[in-house]
Amino acid sequence: AQSVTQLDSQVPVFEEAPVELRCNYSSSVSVYLFWYVQYPNQGLQLLLKYLSGSTLVESINGFEAEFNKSQTSFHLRKPSVHISDTAEYFCAVTGPYNTNAGKSTFGDGTTLTVKP
Amino acid sequence: ETGVTQTPRHLVMGMTNKKSLKCEQHLGHNAMYWYKQSAKKPLELMFVYSLEERVENNSVPSRFSPECPNSSHLFLHLHTLQPEDSALYLCASSQELDGYEQYFGPGTRLTVT
């Protein structure tokens, strides 16, 4: 079985401040890790993913996440946030098909609110 | 159209009505999914299809009935719903089941009165 815990349900932060959204996972097999973002009245969009290789992955809009196998974490960071980053962020884990039917498990989400 | 589309975007239905939600993906993917997103609750996976075959049915009540006529289309047929079924229903697709990211549609906001 696999599970995802997003440690903060709400994160308020001022514009241009750094932010970290925390995600821990548990799984008995190797996993693939994802961060998705959901803007109001929209579906989820992939922000970044870790499949293998370099443990630090980056998105095109300045977010990055680091896979830490020993701490089973995949925290999302941005050094300077904008008002437009206000959204719901979801961490997700997927195991190989032969162990979990390729099913993704999502965290409960973290609401990031960027204030001027 | 590109990506994943869903229709209708909003739906209000009575408990005795029958309606259907439609999802179409224009990405050439082989796997499709239905999720339920309720306020204050985690995203719930409802159904998974791979190459038009259902591979996952997550203990969903029989008042929800999925249909996947081909790899590009997915339907969710609804009948005799309850008010607690009011939620955002999201469709997603992925290239394959194994380890690929999912592409989501904008969702159908369903209200059961």
Side-chain angles (χ1 to χ4, degrees):
Chain A
Q2 58 192 26
S3 67
V4 177
T5 302
Q6 291 184 241
L7 298 162
D8 309 289
S9 60
Q10 308 221 12
V11 174
V13 65
F14 286 104
E15 194 174 17
E16 298 183 5
V19 71
E20 179 180 74
L21 307 183
R22 297 178 293 167
C23 173
N24 286 105
Y25 71 92
S26 68
S27 176
S28 57
V29 297
S30 60
V31 295
Y32 309 117
L33 293 157
F34 307 87
W35 275 100
Y36 292 86
V37 58
Q38 185 178 29
Y39 298 104
N41 300 314
Q42 295 185 28
L44 281 68
Q45 304 171 34
L46 180 70
L47 190 59
L48 45 75
K49 62 184 178 184
Y50 171 78
L51 302 181
S52 64
S54 172
T55 57
L56 184 66
V57 290
E58 298 177 353
S59 72
I60 57 173
N61 57 355
F63 282 94
E64 64 178 32
E66 186 161 18
F67 170 58
N68 188 319
K69 188 174 181 180
S70 62
Q71 297 187 8
T72 60
S73 68
F74 191 56
H75 300 333
L76 181 70
R77 301 184 183 95
K78 188 170 185 179
S80 176
V81 294
H82 303 288
I83 297 286
S84 59
D85 293 323
T86 294
E88 186 93 11
Y89 291 79
F90 293 91
C91 182
V93 58
T94 300
Y97 176 74
N98 61 346
T99 59
N100 202 34
K103 186 172 65 174
S104 288
T105 300
F106 287 80
D108 291 352
T110 297
T111 302
L112 173 64
T113 304
V114 181
K115 299 180 283 187
Chain B
E1 291 276 18
T2 58
V4 181
T5 57
Q6 290 186 245
T7 55
R9 293 293 309 276
H10 300 271
L11 178 63
V12 179
M13 60 185 289
M15 290 191 285
T16 58
N17 291 158
K18 287 185 180 181
K19 296 286 183 183
S20 295
L21 309 185
K22 178 183 175 182
C23 174
E24 183 173 2
Q25 58 98 356
H26 310 266
L27 301 167
H29 288 169
N30 290 324
M32 296 188 77
Y33 312 78
W34 278 118
Y35 289 90
K36 177 183 178 182
Q37 187 177 35
S38 305
K40 312 292 184 187
K41 288 187 178 180
L43 204 62
E44 299 174 46
L45 178 65
M46 300 176 73
F47 301 104
V48 181
Y49 277 82
S50 175
L51 296 171
E52 301 143 46
E53 284 192 28
R54 191 189 308 179
V55 297
E56 184 81 12
N57 179 350
N58 243 11
S59 302
V60 178
S62 59
R63 57 186 184 269
F64 295 92
S65 174
E67 178 190 2
C68 188
N70 55 62
S71 59
S72 299
H73 292 86
L74 186 64
F75 294 89
L76 188 63
H77 303 299
L78 316 171
H79 64 98
T80 59
L81 295 191
Q82 304 298 311
E84 61 264 28
D85 296 322
S86 298
L88 182 68
Y89 288 84
L90 293 165
C91 174
S93 70
S94 62
Q95 187 171 340
E96 304 287 350
L97 281 180
D98 194 355
Y100 289 88
E101 64 268 29
Q102 295 181 23
Y103 292 77
F104 285 79
T108 295
R109 174 69 63 187
L110 173 67
T111 303
V112 181
T113 59

